[in-house]
Amino acid sequence: MLTKLQNAESYVVLLENQLDLCGHRWQDSSPDYQTVKAELAHRQYCKVLDELEHLVVQRLFELSKLNMSGTGKHLYILHGSY
């Protein structure tokens, strides 16, 4: 197991040298790290929002197939929350 780790570390060092990345590792406080972290968070938010939109459209389609697409609004009004 240790030799696999050592081989992986050697390969990473080799790639870093080939790409001239030596000494340029990101820290939590670096601006590049913070930018990428914010972009990844925004990407995850967009993916979750897309999934939610998909589920809402799917549910509306199911309700329209049952001819019940307006049922939720009527129940909402009947309970006095409108």
Side-chain angles (χ1 to χ4, degrees):
M1 178 71 177
L2 186 58
T3 57
K4 286 184 180 182
L5 177 61
Q6 289 171 338
N7 287 339
E9 287 176 346
S10 297
Y11 186 66
V12 167
V13 169
L14 178 67
L15 285 176
E16 285 178 341
N17 289 333
Q18 287 178 350
L19 297 172
D20 194 29
L21 298 175
C22 297
H24 300 291
R25 292 183 184 255
W26 287 353
Q27 301 295 320
D28 289 348
S29 60
S30 69
D32 290 334
Y33 178 83
Q34 294 298 324
T35 301
V36 171
K37 185 177 177 181
E39 288 174 0
L40 287 174
H42 181 71
R43 181 176 177 217
Q44 184 179 11
Y45 169 78
C46 288
K47 283 178 67 175
V48 170
L49 193 61
D50 286 344
E51 179 65 20
L52 178 62
E53 181 181 19
H54 169 76
L55 292 172
V56 168
V57 169
Q58 181 180 355
R59 182 67 175 150
L60 288 173
F61 181 70
E62 290 170 358
L63 289 174
S64 70
K65 281 177 37 178
L66 296 172
N67 200 17
M68 298 176 62
S69 59
T71 303
K73 183 178 178 183
H74 296 311
L75 290 175
Y76 186 71
I77 294 171
L78 288 175
H79 288 296
S81 300
Y82 185 66

